């Protein structure tokens, strides 16, 4: 009896380890040869986001990327959701979170005036979505040498190589030399991109005193965009693990019951 239990235990352990290993390999796959794999804390079955890095990443998005790229799937209040960069347990409703309110105030959104029906500019509130940067794709292309800056809210999910690709892209410029607005970037497919190098050392001044090197800013904005594309990842992993544990114990109990029930029957 003990022997077979230990055999079953071993079999379940082997299956579970290979399942976990499989999921890690799946996450690491993708990307070109020049895309270096980085050591992200949010990878793997127990990975979580780094909240300080996300908060710094928001600052990079706001001060640098937001002049060209939108975040159409995100509202300001999401920043204060549980698991978000500015979550505060004192304000379970992120609409009341003073940090989120202050951030929203930095942005202007368009509203319909309720009396005249005119479109008017107004200060954003936490419930607002991040505003569009350009009125449409034609206007976006016209301002960017014919290329449209894509929405960044789910860019990590939308590109092969994900976080590693985005990091490689942001750190993949050797110089800011260009031919008619086309820059060389070793990570971009084809090597020629119409985005000028957006980052350079000390471009932002981090509130927490972290030195703003290009690599640091690239790392932080990737952390922020990894969260924006998959804000429920941490909860999902926790629930997944709990389910796994439950099924494991359940399988063990079931097996022991089976042995107990059939113990006096010859077979
Ligand atoms: C001055 C405008 C501008 C700024 C600022 C800017 N970008 Fe871009 N970005 C572009 C344009 C234009 C493209 C499209 C380039 C192309 O298709 O050749 C682009 C493309 C991209 C892409 C898509 C690459 C791909 O695989 O298709 C990503 C990701 C990106 N930018 C991230 C960022 C991040 C992150 C920042 C801030 C650190 C940033 N950008 C700042 C203009 C900008």
């Amino acid at each position: 009896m003990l022997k077979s239990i230990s055999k079953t235990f071993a079999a379940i352990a082997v299956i579970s380890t290979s399942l976990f290993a499989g999921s890690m390999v799946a996450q690491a796959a993708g990307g070109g040869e020049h895309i270096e794999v980085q050591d992200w804390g949010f990878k793997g079955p127990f990975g979580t986001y780094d909240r300080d890095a996300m908060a710094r990443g928001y600052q990079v998005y706001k001060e640098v990327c937001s002049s060209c790229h939108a975040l159409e799937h995100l509202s300001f209040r999401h920043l204060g959701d549980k698991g978000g960069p500015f979550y505060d347990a004192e304000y379970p409703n992120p609409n009341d979170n003073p940090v989120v309110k202050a951030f929203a105030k930095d942005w202007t959104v368009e509203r319909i005036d309720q009396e005249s029906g005119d479109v008017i500019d107004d200060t954003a509130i936490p419930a607002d979505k991040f505003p569009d940067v350009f009125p449409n794709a034609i206007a976006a292309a016209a301002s960017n040498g014919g290329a449209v800056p894509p929405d960044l809210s789910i860019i990590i999910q939308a590109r092969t190589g994900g976080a590693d690709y985005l990091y490689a892209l942001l750190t993949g410029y050797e110089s800011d030399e260009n031919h008619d607005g086309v820059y060389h970037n070793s990570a971009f497919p084809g090597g020629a991109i119409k985005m000028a190098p957006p980052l350079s050392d000390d471009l932002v001044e981090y509130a927490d005193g972290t030195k703003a090197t290009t690599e640091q800013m690239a790392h932080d904005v990737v952390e922020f965009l990894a969260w924006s594309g998959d804000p429920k990842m941490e909860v999902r992993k926790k629930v997944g693990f709990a389910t796994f544990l439950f099924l494991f114990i359940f399988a063990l109990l079931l097996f022991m019951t089976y042995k107990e029930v059939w113990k006096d029957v010859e077979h």
Side-chain angles (χ1 to χ4, degrees):
M1 161 95 174
L2 258 182
K3 214 172 166 192
S4 40
I5 287 186
S6 66
K7 260 192 197 162
T8 320
F9 193 81
I12 295 175
V14 167
I15 294 170
S16 54
T17 325
S18 50
L19 275 178
F20 271 128
S23 75
M24 287 176 82
V25 170
Q27 285 187 8
E33 301 147 80
H34 41 270
I35 309 294
E36 225 174 280
V37 176
Q38 308 290 326
D39 190 15
W40 302 105
F42 51 80
K43 274 191 186 170
F46 303 107
T48 53
Y49 296 120
D50 173 344
R51 242 141 282 280
D52 292 340
M54 272 156 60
R56 289 193 300 268
Y58 171 71
Q59 188 182 345
V60 176
Y61 170 73
K62 167 78 176 80
E63 292 180 20
V64 187
C65 325
S66 71
S67 53
C68 301
H69 294 277
L71 275 182
E72 66 175 29
H73 296 296
L74 224 62
S75 298
F76 296 103
R77 69 185 160 79
H78 290 137
L79 300 171
D81 274 348
K82 202 168 183 182
F86 304 107
Y87 173 67
D88 184 341
E90 232 178 272
Y91 303 98
N93 180 350
N95 289 333
D96 303 329
N97 182 323
V99 177
V100 175
K101 278 187 184 166
F103 281 139
K105 263 197 194 140
D106 290 340
W107 298 72
T108 304
V109 291
E110 287 184 343
R111 292 193 208 291
I112 309 288
D113 185 82
Q114 292 305 307
E115 271 158 33
S116 65
D118 292 339
V119 177
I120 50 165
D121 284 345
D122 194 12
T123 309
I125 56 167
D128 283 317
K129 290 181 107 182
F130 276 78
D132 289 336
V133 185
F134 300 100
N136 53 58
I138 301 167
S143 306
N144 288 282
V148 178
D151 184 88
L152 291 185
S153 35
I154 51 164
I155 196 78
I156 299 243
Q157 282 67 29
R159 290 292 181 274
T160 308
D164 295 325
Y165 166 69
L166 184 48
Y167 181 83
L169 182 80
L170 295 172
T171 55
Y173 294 91
E174 265 151 40
S175 75
D176 49 12
E177 265 173 47
N178 67 91
H179 296 286
D180 295 332
V182 179
Y183 299 78
H184 177 70
N185 186 303
S186 56
F188 192 63
I193 189 168
K194 286 188 171 172
M195 168 168 73
L199 300 173
S200 57
D201 289 347
D202 298 319
L203 190 60
V204 307
E205 195 177 323
Y206 280 137
D208 67 3
T210 303
K211 185 144 178 48
T213 59
T214 298
E215 288 75 18
Q216 182 71 47
M217 287 180 283
H219 173 277
D220 293 343
V221 80
V222 168
E223 190 92 24
F224 173 67
L225 294 174
W227 164 78
S228 78
D230 194 1
K232 302 278 182 242
M233 177 207 72
E234 291 175 345
V235 177
R236 195 176 60 244
K237 282 180 181 171
K238 263 190 213 153
V239 173
F241 183 66
T243 312
F244 178 79
L245 207 66
F246 167 77
L247 288 176
F248 181 77
I249 294 169
F250 187 67
L252 208 64
L253 287 176
L254 212 60
F255 180 77
M256 287 161 81
T257 314
Y258 157 81
K259 281 288 175 196
E260 185 61 25
V261 169
W262 291 91
K263 70 172 189 268
D264 298 328
V265 181
E266 291 243 358
H267 58 287

